[in-house]
Each structure stands twice: as C-alpha cells, then as structure tokens.
C-alpha cells in the first residue's frame, strides 16, 4: 500500500533525523515512550541472522484501551519484535473493532482481536453486514481465551440470561467485541435488545453504574480474572449469571467460534464453577506483508516469548508455540502457515 510505504519511510526519516540531532547535541539521550530497544550489539547480531532487513520494517501493533488486557500484551509483542531489530510501535485503541479496521486500512501490521468479531468482518455478517466481507483478513497466531462473564449484584433478581428482560443492561460499546457477544447471546436465548433497557457502556462504565443502582447487569468479555470484576466482587455481593442450557447450545451451534466452558470456582467470589462460553483472541496480520517478514516475525516472537508471557497471567498461561493454530477460524497468512507447518502443526484453514 502506498500509505504503508510512506509511513515506513517517514518512520525511517524521523529515526535518522533523531540520530543526527543527538550527535549534534553531544550524545544527549531521551527516554523512549514505546517498548525499550534491546542492547544495540545484541539487536545487530539477531538481525544479522535473518534474511529480513528488520531495521527497515516498521511494525505497528494495535492493542486496546490502556485499562484492558490487550494493551500490556500487545505492548509486549512490540517489545519482543523491537528486541530482534524491528522498528515498532504499540498503539492504544478501542480494541477489536478498531483493530480490525486498522488492519483492513493498512494502519497496523499486527493487531489483537476477538475471533467472533474477526469472523463477522471476514464473512460480512452481523456488525459488518453493511460494510461487506473482508476475505483478505489473515491471522498470525492464536492468543488467549476470552470468557463471557455476565455479572450482576444481589437484589436485582437476575439468575439467568432470560431474567435480563426488563432490566438495565450494559452491553458494551457499540460494535465492540463485548457488544457483539451480548447481541449474539440475546439472539441465542430467543431475545433481542428490545427485551431490556440496554446501554452501550464499556463494562467498566456499566459496573460503576451498577454500584450506584443505575445498571442491573453487565456483559464482560475478557481473560480471567478481570480486574474490574474482581473489584466488584470484593466490595459488593456480586453474582455471575450462568450462560448454559438450550440457549448456550444454540449459540455454539450457530456460532462455532464460541466454546462451552466454566468460570472456575474461586475466580472471584464464586464458590462453584459457573457455566459460560469463551471465544479466542487471535493476532491478525496485514496481508500485504511478505511471507519472509511474517515468518521472521513469528520466529522473533517465540525467540522472545518470555517477554510476552511476563506481560499478563493470561499470556503466560495461553500464549505458547505448543498450542498450535487449529482453533483459528480464518486463513493464516502464507508466511504464518509455512511457519506453523514447519513446526509440525496443521493449518486447516489454509488447506
């Protein structure tokens, strides 16, 4: 893309200008705001082992809000690639929907997104019905599972999804991953937003209103545990509403990117396992990148996997080469497919 090439050239020019400026100032230094670069000698050695000229590749990682899980994990991906010699930037975003758009528009090289949102964009249904399908979307790898957590507090009378009828419900920001989950769950239980007084609030905002009695329930889709939910469970008599029964069966049958699961006992204030569903996060990659660059990025990521695992408990438990990519529902980039095949894994979406 012309824009992409321009952005890379601009980044290289700014880097050169900064180097000249620092030399003119007698070697003064400034503190970087992005992920720290590795030791120069180490970076040069690692870059020298690759056929890819990493220093001329600018990788923008689209993450999520600074208060969420996407942000630290996405930042760690940027840090891992920078340590290998790539020029990188981790960008805070509104998460899945914005990240998908950034990939489609060529504004990011890799981006974290929930797979249900990705499937809607890839096939052109749901939130993307009017925009149309984007069959050029490609995946890099599987990440961690996001659990759908429907939370309320004692006194609302909400003990099942059906009990949301007539209640004030925070369903997530419009077209966010959380909101897409909420919409599909309503549908699976034979309901619609018209059955509730829905408010398009982020789960953080909805939970704050719940504390004041202005909201009865909130959908939260994230890794476990979620800090905002933990705080609610610590200070209030929180209830996790199960997503189970025939409604869950209908959800999984129609949207197979959902999988049945449980929120384990003692995750929050729950003394027993709570039935629910999860959907994987995946890492998207810009389809315009060359096969060599994508293959090399994956090598760098797994060479520096400790950096990523250290960023969050969800990453530590779920991001590892041993998990493969069979759970990814869209095609992999050809460079990614070759990487995973070379490491002995099946790539069913590329066959």
């Amino acid at each position: 893309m012309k824009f992409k090439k321009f952005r890379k050239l601009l980044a290289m020019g700014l880097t050169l200008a900064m180097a000249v400026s620092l030399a003119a100032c007698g070697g003064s230094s400034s503190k970087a705001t992005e992920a720290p670069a590795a030791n120069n000698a180490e970076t040069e050695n690692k870059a020298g082992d690759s056929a890819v000229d990493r220093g001329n590749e600018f990788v923008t990682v689209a993450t999520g809000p600074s208060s969420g899980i996407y942000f630290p994990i996405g930042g760690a991906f940027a840090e891992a690639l920078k340590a290998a010699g790539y020029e990188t930037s981790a960008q805070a975003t509104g998460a899945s929907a914005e990240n998908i758009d950034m990939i489609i528009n060529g504004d990011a090289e890799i981006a974290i997104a929930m797979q249900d949102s990705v499937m809607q964009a890839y096939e052109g249904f749901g939130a993307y019905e009017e925009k149309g399908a984007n069959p050029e979307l490609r995946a890099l790898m599987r990440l961690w599972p996001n659990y759908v957590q429907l939370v309320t507090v004692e006194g609302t009378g909400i003990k099942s999804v059906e009990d949301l009828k007539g209640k004030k419900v925070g369903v997530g920001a419009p077209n966010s991953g959380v909101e897409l989950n909420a919409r599909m769950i309503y549908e699976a239980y034979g309901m619609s937003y018209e059955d509730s007084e829905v408010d398009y609030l982020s789960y953080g905002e909805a939970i704050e209103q719940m504390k004041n009695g202005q909201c009865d329930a909130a959908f939260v889709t994230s890794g476990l545990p979620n800090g905002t939910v933990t705080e609610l469970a610590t200070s209030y008599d929180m209830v996790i509403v199960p997503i189970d029964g025939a409604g869950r069966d209908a959800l999984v049958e129609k949207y197979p990117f959902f999988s049945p699961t449980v929120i384990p006992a003692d995750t929050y204030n729950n003394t027993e396992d709570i039935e629910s569903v999860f959907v994987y996060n995946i890492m998207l990659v810009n389809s315009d990148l060359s096969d060599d660059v994508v293959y090399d990025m994956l090598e760098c990521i797994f060479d520096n996997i400790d950096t990523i695992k250290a960023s969050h408990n969800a990453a530590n438990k779920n991001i590892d080469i041993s998990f493969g990519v069979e759970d990814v529902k869209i095609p992999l980039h050809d460079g990614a497919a070759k990487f995973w095949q070379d490491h002995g894994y099946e790539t069913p979406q590329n066959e």
Side-chain angles (χ1 to χ4, degrees), residues 68 80 110 171 194 244 254 303:
I110 60 176
V171 296
E194 293 182 359
D244 58 4
K254 184 169 183 179
D303 283 347

Side-chain angles (χ1 to χ4, degrees), residues 65-179:
S66 59
S67 59
I69 294 176
Y70 282 18
F71 186 75
I73 297 178
F77 270 85
E79 184 178 346
L81 290 170
K82 180 169 282 190
Y86 282 90
E87 294 293 324
T88 67
S89 171
Q91 184 168 331
T93 70
S96 293
E98 183 176 347
N99 292 354
I100 292 167
D101 288 342
M102 289 181 69
I103 289 291
I104 292 171
N105 296 329
D107 296 330
E109 278 62 53
I110 60 176
I112 303 172
M114 283 203 297
Q115 187 153 240
D116 57 333
S117 302
V118 174
M119 288 302 297
Q120 292 193 35
Y122 181 75
E123 297 181 356
F125 70 95
Y128 290 83
E129 187 171 359
E130 293 185 3
K131 297 180 181 179
N134 293 276
E136 76 283 359
L137 283 172
R138 292 293 179 267
L140 186 71
M141 59 188 290
R142 194 203 89 175
L143 297 174
W144 70 96
N146 266 3
Y147 291 72
V148 179
Q149 302 158 71
L150 177 55
V151 298
T152 185
V153 291
E154 288 286 354
T156 63
I158 301 172
K159 298 186 182 300
S160 67
V161 174
E162 291 91 343
D163 290 338
L164 295 177
K165 292 179 179 179
K167 302 295 185 179
K168 299 176 182 177
V169 184
V171 296
N175 292 327
S176 65
V178 176
E179 195 266 318

Side-chain angles (χ1 to χ4, degrees), residues 153-218:
V153 291
E154 288 286 354
T156 63
I158 301 172
K159 298 186 182 300
S160 67
V161 174
E162 291 91 343
D163 290 338
L164 295 177
K165 292 179 179 179
K167 302 295 185 179
K168 299 176 182 177
V169 184
V171 296
N175 292 327
S176 65
V178 176
E179 195 266 318
L180 296 180
N181 287 170
R183 190 181 296 273
M184 287 183 279
I185 289 168
Y186 265 81
E187 174 195 355
Y189 282 83
M191 299 162 57
S192 73
Y193 281 174
E194 293 182 359
D195 290 306
S196 301
E197 187 179 333
V198 302
D199 206 340
Y200 293 93
L201 301 170
S202 69
Y203 61 74
E205 294 170 329
I207 287 175
E208 280 302 312
Q209 291 203 10
M210 196 183 304
K211 295 174 183 178
N212 300 321
Q214 297 174 307
C215 184
D216 296 314

